[in-house]
Amino acid sequence: MNTIQDEFQTFSQELKKLNIDVQRVEKAGNGSMDFHEVFYKSPRYNEVKSVYVQRRTLDTLLEKFREVYS
């Protein structure tokens, strides 16, 4: 079974393939609200952007990045 760190590591590696650099991931919720804020830098923006994601929606977010950045 993968840990949350493993899942975010895989997520970061997949984004790297799209030329998106994940700067850091911070937990943004309590135990019942498992949101994380992902800070990233992409070729489209000069500044670091962020997006909130839940562990169970990492795959969906990755697909959205692929649609936009492929």
Side-chain angles (χ1 to χ4, degrees):
M1 177 175 244
N2 289 339
T3 65
I4 187 73
Q5 290 85 8
D6 293 339
E7 290 181 25
F8 275 109
Q9 181 66 29
T10 301
F11 178 75
S12 297
Q13 291 169 350
E14 290 299 315
L15 287 182
K16 189 70 166 175
K17 293 176 185 177
L18 298 173
N19 204 23
I20 299 169
D21 184 35
V22 174
Q23 304 286 311
R24 67 184 187 277
V25 177
E26 294 180 3
K27 186 169 171 80
N30 59 25
S32 63
M33 299 294 285
D34 64 341
F35 283 95
H36 290 78
E37 188 172 10
V38 177
F39 295 87
Y40 65 95
K41 185 153 172 83
S42 76
R44 292 186 177 193
Y45 305 105
N46 292 329
E47 68 272 357
V48 174
K49 297 286 189 176
S50 71
V51 63
Y52 288 95
V53 65
Q54 286 183 297
R55 181 180 187 180
R56 62 183 171 82
T57 61
L58 278 175
D59 292 336
T60 304
L61 181 61
L62 183 57
E63 286 305 315
K64 288 180 182 179
F65 272 112
R66 284 182 179 144
E67 289 174 10
V68 173
Y69 285 92
S70 294

